[in-house]
Amino acid sequence: DGDVASHAAFDDFLDAFAFPLAPILLDPGAERDERDIQQARAAKLCESTEGGEAEEEALDQLGAHCQTAVQALRATPPSRDATGEAAHVRPIEALEQRCRAYYLDGLFEEAFVGGMEELARELPGSTTSHNMAATRRFFDSETLAAGLLARLPPELSFSRVLPSMRFIEYDVGGYIAAHQDGVKFDTKTGKQSTTSFLLYLKDTCEGGTTDFLDCPEGEVLHSVEPRRGWILIFPPSALHEG
């Protein structure tokens, strides 16, 4: 459980995404419409920017309410040599016949995770959705995306994290129905996304798992229990529910 993955394992990880993706997305138009509504409500707090000026203004506006959090999110990540911590890549063996999925720990310092959590509390939320019972909050930020990328192991060779952040918060009885993630088009690079990830901001004592399925309403192949600061990485075509 605690071993650091070898370079061979990293090579296998990268190979997992070298295949055509044909994902489905339940009513993607409704998802876009809801996103537009939330971005309008959040005004400049939810603007996506190319030059970064409006984004910096949005973070500055947030900083008036959560200055410590914004500073943590903008901070340069500590070096692994300085912290003495190693990032652990844990393959999910139960899914190897269908896809390669991994979860990683030791990547995000507590200040960064706490900053993300505080940021989410400052954003407007919506409980309107066609496939989930949860509160969603949106924030687009190249700065935060760069912070996430800087904390991923360089051996994984990820070159970019898309700036579209979606925070999802569940109450007791909340859920996301079984689905596959949609592939997103990155206007900055002209390429499609290849990978989905979930960064867990809280531990759970009961429930809250991310379940990978063999088919809708079918057998659960593997359940991932949320652990604060851990990140789950998988292909968008992997069927899952929460």
Side-chain angles (χ1 to χ4, degrees):
D1 286 338
D3 294 337
V4 177
S6 66
H7 286 286
F10 283 128
D11 291 340
D12 290 341
F13 175 86
L14 297 176
D15 289 341
F17 305 109
F19 54 82
L21 299 177
I24 61 171
L25 180 64
L26 298 177
D27 193 5
E31 175 77 14
R32 288 193 297 270
D33 291 345
E34 176 62 24
R35 181 180 179 81
D36 291 343
I37 292 171
Q38 289 305 302
Q39 287 182 323
R41 288 179 59 196
K44 290 186 178 181
L45 295 182
C46 294
E47 289 183 22
S48 176
T49 64
E50 293 290 336
E53 294 181 3
E55 179 191 323
E56 290 300 315
E57 181 181 347
L59 287 174
D60 287 339
Q61 290 179 35
L62 284 175
H65 301 284
C66 49
Q67 183 176 6
T68 302
V70 172
Q71 290 175 349
L73 295 173
R74 284 174 166 161
T76 301
S79 68
R80 297 299 163 197
D81 292 338
T83 62
E85 296 180 356
H88 299 147
V89 180
R90 293 175 166 82
I92 300 177
E93 296 180 359
L95 301 177
E96 286 183 348
Q97 299 301 316
R98 297 173 179 268
C99 68
R100 290 199 177 106
Y102 292 73
Y103 50 107
L104 303 87
D105 71 293
L107 299 180
F108 301 96
E109 66 274 22
E110 175 57 31
F112 186 86
V113 177
M116 293 287 281
E117 191 174 22
E118 190 169 345
L119 166 64
R121 287 196 294 265
E122 293 294 325
L123 300 173
S126 171
T127 57
T128 302
S129 175
H130 63 281
N131 72 332
M132 70 177 70
T135 299
R136 298 182 299 168
R137 310 175 196 277
F138 299 101
F139 191 78
D140 287 2
S141 172
E142 292 282 1
T143 298
L144 299 189
L148 289 165
L149 179 63
R151 288 164 173 81
L152 294 177
E155 294 89 345
L156 297 183
S157 299
F158 286 117
S159 60
R160 178 162 166 77
V161 171
L162 297 186
S164 302
M165 309 289 171
R166 184 173 68 164
F167 299 89
I168 303 178
E169 181 180 359
Y170 301 88
D171 289 323
V172 175
Y175 67 88
I176 297 182
H179 66 286
Q180 293 171 296
D181 292 339
V183 172
K184 294 185 177 180
F185 180 77
D186 183 13
T187 56
K188 187 172 183 178
T189 64
K191 298 179 179 179
Q192 287 187 327
S193 62
T194 62
T195 310
S196 294
F197 75 80
L198 300 176
L199 172 59
Y200 297 107
L201 300 182
K202 293 183 178 180
D203 296 321
T204 60
C205 297
E206 183 178 352
T209 59
T210 301
D211 298 332
F212 291 92
L213 309 173
D214 64 345
C215 63
E217 301 183 1
E219 177 187 357
V220 175
L221 301 173
H222 185 79
S223 293
V224 177
E225 181 179 341
R227 298 190 184 183
R228 182 177 174 86
W230 286 37
I231 188 169
L232 172 64
I233 298 177
F234 55 93
S237 56
L239 185 67
H240 59 287
E241 65 183 7

